[in-house]
Amino acid sequence: MKELISITSFASVSALGSTPEKIWENYLNNHHFLTLKEFDGFKTWVAQLTAEDKHAVEDVKNSDNKYKNLDPSVLYTLFVARKAMEQTNWKASDNFGINIGSSRGATSLFEKYHKEFLSTGKSSTLSSPTTTLGNISSWIAHDLQSNGPEISHSITCSTGLHSLLNGVAWLQSGMSEKFMIGASEASLTDFTIAQMQALKVYARENDEYPCKAFDLNKTKNTMVLGEGASVFCLERGKNKNALAFIEGVGYATEVLKHNTSVTTDAECFQKSMKMALATISPDEVDAIVMHAPGTIKGDQSEINAIQKIFCNKTPFLTTNKWKLGHTFGASGLLSLELAVLMLQHQQFIDVPFAKPQQAPKKLNKILVNAVGFGGNAVSVLITK
């Protein structure tokens, strides 16, 4: 990278809550925040927003008559974008850029309108504008009154960190001084859960910890789907008010052998981590927040890639999916949030059922990984 990028604010909503204080408090305990939810004909584990946050999102929905027909994925982002904006000195006249992504997009509305079409043979007037992928960034720009560039995209589960890549590119090109990046996922629907179950990756056991992300001894896949949104405000250069700095970014894509495949040694992760580190010695990395979705192959392949890059000096490893579920496109940014919080508090958050690790004496540099179907890996190195 040409220069450091400053993270000047962030906000999120997930099963852990929606304030940094509450989220950190929930990271400090060994409890998961997964619950059993009834779907159409079955019950399974999910990670839902708290009742309090659902009420807050409902308030956002009622704050503007035009918001009443929006999908939850848009409303979640409106909720957190407002919170992130409040923590900065940004003004609408700054014309900051916006890039919000989502893996699934307007899942609830799309399923609702499609069901309606199958039943009646007709589609509602708002079915198209409220389910297009650009829907999220457009509404954020409207709500915050920004006149800067707005971008939307979907790159499966690495969508959030691809938003960060785009923000970094715009800032380093000099085309923008400030950029809001984020991702949202509101896909706790019957059809989406059924898709994950069809892939044989979903948790089925009523265990103390339903999602065993980073348990390398598990004999069954244990992915659990969560919902949430996360937004970060980025600024070019070394800002004195920065919460953390982005020091390196890396990305790679594997040659597909199957729609959901990642190689045994996750070659995409090896390439993305190498690129993010650039000239920095692997020994300088104190911790890695892994993607670790809770599947047997997914978790192990990422560990294999890490061992290839870091050899005998593996950093402290952690993941948050056992606690707040896999939030698809938003997952990478929720992992980035955990990394920033660990840097701020100088405290490690481990996985209670994983093999014990020796914690480093300090936290100065943390690597964050995300990958999606198709081997689209992104790694981001942040520093204190």
Side-chain angles (χ1 to χ4, degrees), residues 206-235:
N206 290 330
D207 197 280
E208 179 184 3
Y209 294 105
C211 177
K212 291 293 188 69
F214 193 35
D215 177 358
L216 301 182
N217 296 316
K218 59 180 173 287
T219 58
K220 296 180 180 179
N221 290 321
T222 64
M223 194 186 88
V224 173
L225 189 57
E227 61 181 351
S230 182
V231 161
F232 281 73
C233 292
L234 309 181
E235 296 186 30

Side-chain angles (χ1 to χ4, degrees), residues 55-113:
H55 286 307
V57 171
E58 192 67 20
D59 289 339
V60 171
K61 182 178 181 178
N62 295 326
S63 67
D64 187 319
N65 193 51
K66 294 186 291 295
Y67 296 170
K68 292 184 178 179
N69 294 304
L70 298 181
D71 186 77
S73 59
V74 182
L75 297 172
Y76 293 175
T77 320
L78 285 169
F79 177 50
V80 296
R82 288 178 179 181
K83 291 164 75 75
M85 186 78 169
E86 288 170 1
Q87 299 169 35
T88 70
N89 59 359
W90 294 14
K91 305 178 296 295
S93 58
D94 293 339
N95 292 333
F96 54 90
I98 296 173
N99 185 173
I100 310 294
S102 180
S103 176
R104 314 295 295 186
T107 319
S108 296
L109 282 186
F110 193 91
E111 292 179 24
K112 170 191 169 184
Y113 288 135

Side-chain angles (χ1 to χ4, degrees), residues 219-258:
T219 58
K220 296 180 180 179
N221 290 321
T222 64
M223 194 186 88
V224 173
L225 189 57
E227 61 181 351
S230 182
V231 161
F232 281 73
C233 292
L234 309 181
E235 296 186 30
R236 184 181 176 187
K238 198 169 183 179
N239 190 304
K240 64 180 181 180
N241 298 319
L243 305 174
F245 300 106
I246 299 170
E247 189 171 8
V249 295
Y251 47 88
T253 302
E254 290 191 359
V255 176
L256 285 176
K257 294 176 182 167
H258 184 271

